[in-house]
Amino acid sequence: SGQQRRYVIGVSQCSDDEWREQMNKEITREALFYPEAEVVFRSAGDDNKRQIHDIELLMRNKVDLLVVSPNEADAITPVIEKAYSKGIPVILVDRKIHSNQYTAYIGADNYTIGYNVGEYIASRLQGKGRVVEVTGLRGSTPAAERHRGMTDALREYPDIRVTASVDAGWRRDRARLVFDSLLTHAPEIDMVFAHNDRMAAGAYEAAVKYGREKEMLFVGIDALAGEGYGVEQVASGQLDATFIYPTGGDRVMQTAMAILTGKPYEHDVALSSALVNKGNARVMRMQTGQIRQLDEKIDMLDKRINHFLTRYASQRILLYTCVVM
Ligand code: FRU
C-alpha cells in the first residue's frame, strides 16, 4: 500500500523453533495495528557469531529500534552496548545480557520458574529421589537462572539428589543424545527436569528406546499449544508437568511503539508463568484450540482487507484513466 513506513524495527532471534515462531507471529500480528511500522526478522540458529553479524547488519540498515533475544549473555553483550551507545533503543526479550545498557526487558522470571520446578519435584517425589537435569545452553541467562532456582528450592530436601546435570543447548536432538548416554550408566532416575519441553521430548525418546520411560517422570518448561508441544505432551501423559513460558510478542511490539513514539513504557515487563499438569492440560487444550481458530480468522480477515485494498487501488487507477481519457 502507499502507507509510509516511518519506523523500522529489527528483531534478532537467537534460535528458530516453535517458541520463537510463535513470538514472531505475535509481533507480526500486533504490527497490523501500526501501519507506520515495518518489522524485519533475523534468526541466528543458536550461533553467537551469526547473531552479532545479524545485529551489525540491522544497525547498518539503520533500523530505528532493536529487539534482541541474546543467544549467550557474554558473547552478545558488547554488540548490544554498541547499538545502545549509538542511540538505538534496544528491547531484550526472554534472555538477558551482562550490562544495563538496554532500554527495556520483557520476559518471565526464570529464577522463580526454576524454584517452582524444584518445589514441584520435591512434592511429586515426596521428598526423596534422584533427579537428572537437562539444561539449556549454559551461557544463556534462562538456563543459568532456571538451574539456580531449582537448586535453591531443593536445598530444603536433602534426600533429593541431582545425580547429573547436562547441557543440551535447548535442542531436542542434543537432549536425546546426551540422555541416551546418561541412561546407559545411570541405573536409577526418578525425575527428569528438562529446561524446555523440546528437550524433555528428546530425553523421553531416548528413554523409550530402552523401554525405561515409565520408570521416571518428565518435567519441562514452555507449555506451547499445538500438536506435539508441551500442553499436549502433558495431556497425553508423556510429560508429568510443564510451566508456561509466555512468548509475549504483542507486548514486545507495543513496547517498541511506545518507545519510538515517546510514550511511557515499562522498563521491566514481567510476564507470568503457571503450572500445567494433568489437572488443567485438557482445559488448556480446549481453550488454546479456540484461540487458534480465532487467530486463523484474523489472518483471513487481514488477507481479505489487503485484497480489497489492492482492488480498490487498481479501480481508482482505472477510474482515473477513464476520466482523463
Ligand atoms: C526457544 C527456547 C525456549 C526456552 C527459551 C529460553 O528458543 O529454547 O524453549 O524456554 O528459548 O530462552
Side-chain angles (χ1 to χ4, degrees):
S1 74
Q3 271 281 2
Q4 230 200 334
R5 307 284 188 184
R6 282 211 290 145
Y7 304 111
V8 181
I9 296 168
V11 178
S12 164
Q13 292 282 13
C14 46
S15 344
D16 27 5
D17 49 60
E18 59 276 13
W19 192 88
R20 303 277 155 201
E21 221 169 85
Q22 177 166 316
M23 191 204 294
N24 291 350
K25 252 198 207 153
E26 289 160 354
I27 293 174
T28 308
R29 161 90 34 87
E30 193 67 20
L32 292 176
F33 294 99
Y34 305 96
E36 70 277 30
E38 181 189 342
V39 187
V40 290
F41 294 94
R42 307 283 307 175
S43 193
D46 304 301
D47 183 330
N48 293 329
K49 284 216 183 81
R50 236 171 92 186
Q51 185 163 36
I52 293 167
H53 175 266
D54 283 349
I55 296 170
E56 300 269 6
L57 185 85
L58 291 168
M59 276 159 63
R60 274 203 304 283
N61 290 344
K62 307 229 176 319
V63 294
D64 300 292
L65 181 144
L66 278 167
V67 173
V68 182
S69 187
N71 190 49
E72 289 190 284
D74 279 341
I76 308 301
T77 298
V79 70
I80 289 179
E81 287 185 324
K82 182 171 157 191
Y84 186 79
S85 72
K86 283 192 172 176
I88 304 172
V90 180
I91 301 178
L92 297 177
V93 292
D94 137 64
R95 302 187 189 181
K96 299 176 186 161
I97 53 170
H98 296 315
S99 162
N100 56 11
Q101 305 286 293
Y102 62 89
T103 317
Y105 171 78
I106 300 174
D109 179 344
N110 282 296
Y111 175 82
T112 303
I113 294 177
Y115 198 92
N116 291 339
V117 171
E119 301 258 80
Y120 181 82
I121 292 173
S123 90
R124 281 300 267 155
L125 297 183
Q126 294 173 329
K128 190 173 173 14
R130 288 164 212 247
V131 180
V132 166
E133 185 187 25
V134 180
T135 78
L137 194 62
R138 284 289 161 90
S140 67
T141 56
E145 288 164 0
R146 289 172 192 183
H147 170 77
R148 213 158 41 79
M150 179 208 66
T151 310
D152 284 354
L154 290 181
R155 263 187 236 295
E156 311 280 317
Y157 306 91
D159 292 334
I160 292 187
R161 283 183 38 217
V162 180
T163 54
S165 179
V166 285
D167 185 342
W170 302 117
R171 302 174 72 112
R172 181 186 176 131
D173 49 347
R174 223 173 290 161
R176 183 171 47 76
L177 285 176
V178 294
F179 198 66
D180 189 304
S181 73
L182 252 172
L183 278 168
T184 55
H185 43 258
E188 268 177 59
I189 302 170
D190 303 303
M191 173 77 74
V192 180
F193 166 36
H195 283 192
N196 67 16
D197 297 340
R198 221 169 322 113
M199 295 189 294
Y204 185 86
E205 214 184 310
V208 167
K209 180 178 154 195
Y210 297 100
R212 291 182 59 184
E213 77 279 9
K214 298 241 151 49
E215 282 172 32
M216 54 197 95
L217 299 174
F218 293 81
V219 173
I221 293 175
D222 279 351
L224 279 189
E227 217 181 306
Y229 302 148
V231 174
E232 297 218 343
Q233 286 176 41
V234 173
S236 75
Q238 175 175 328
L239 267 182
D240 188 54
T242 179
F243 287 76
I244 295 176
Y245 192 54
T247 40
D250 46 347
R251 295 298 293 278
V252 173
M253 189 63 200
Q254 288 158 8
T255 306
M257 291 313 290
I259 293 170
L260 286 170
T261 57
K263 300 211 173 83
Y265 63 92
E266 276 175 68
H267 184 262
D268 272 282
V269 179
L271 304 175
S272 48
S273 177
L275 169 72
V276 179
N277 62 9
K278 199 105 201 153
N280 60 5
R282 221 178 60 88
V283 176
M284 237 189 108
R285 195 166 55 168
M286 271 165 53
Q287 289 180 335
T288 50
Q290 245 168 13
I291 292 170
R292 202 174 34 247
Q293 281 178 4
L294 285 176
D295 275 351
E296 280 161 15
K297 285 189 182 163
I298 293 173
D299 280 345
M300 222 162 72
L301 281 178
D302 177 48
K303 286 206 186 86
R304 283 202 197 161
I305 290 170
N306 277 330
H307 177 74
F308 283 130
L309 284 178
T310 348
R311 233 175 49 191
Y312 174 68
S314 56
Q315 275 170 2
R316 267 199 356 198
I317 294 171
L318 209 69
L319 191 68
Y320 176 76
T321 354
C322 289
V323 170
V324 173
M325 288 190 340

